[in-house]
Amino acid sequence: MRAYDSRGKEPEFKIVINGILVISLLVVLFPFLYVLMTSFAPREEILTRGFFLIPHQWTLNAYGYLMSSDQFVGSFKNAITITVFGTIVNMVFTSLMAYGLSKPWLNGRRVLNFMVLFTMLFNGGIIPTYLVVKEMHLLNSFWALFLTGAIAPFHLIVLRSFFQNIPIELEESGRIDGCSELRLFWQIILPLSMPAIATFTLFYAVQNWNSYFNAVLYLNDSAKWPLQVFLRQMMNEGNTSLENMTTEYQYSPAVKMAAIVLTALPLLVIYPFLQKYFNKGMLMGSVKG
């Protein structure tokens, strides 16, 4: 007879699955480890040793090089500004519209839902959207980034389903106590929807932090470019100069790797605090009960 564990699965099967998971983890972790270790290596070691994972000498010169760059620090501040205010705009517009569309008594609800679904298949296109932004005098403004991506249709649909799963009795009791719709939404619906709110806040934050194409399209002033645009310029244009820098570390591999680490660091720090809401929010919003 074959030996089974407490869950009825063969031990050999678990060994194979665990082995596949470990290999997958190493494959995913390897590039991150290489980038991190290279960022701490001196320029001479990178040029002489070639490929390595653990540097012989450790230095923070690449990070100091970036921190003393006005261009890098400015783009980092721009990325934070775009992420914070852009995420606030996203969540305000998305949550309010999702709450309204979750009400069966809303006039024109079917038409609005169809318009939301339609935008998931077709959009206005790059040129028409650019012309609208230009006519609204939003070029070279962060508002061009905030408003053109204010609502993601998929996030709206899932959040609408989440609101529909909240018992109607809670809303009725709030209306009996004299709550307005806005107060009902703020004091009853939102506290009950924290898993979904935290989940889509993370989604929008990642989207805004990684903003690149719209920033290149709508922001003509390089002083307003976010971090992703600066990082792209750094990777592609090795002859672009940084201010107040020595030529020893200018766009060396260590500096490029340090820029990648600093770009990914904020999201890596924020994600563990929202992880507990992530699965719960997605599952509860994806199933209509």
Side-chain angles (χ1 to χ4, degrees), residues 100-107 109 164 168:
L101 293 179
S102 67
K103 304 306 170 189
W105 43 261
L106 178 67
N107 293 329
R109 177 172 175 263
Q164 288 175 337
I168 190 64

Side-chain angles (χ1 to χ4, degrees), residues 260-275:
I260 295 174
V261 172
L262 293 177
T263 302
L265 185 61
L267 296 180
L268 295 177
V269 172
I270 294 174
Y271 180 75
F273 295 99
L274 299 178
Q275 185 179 11

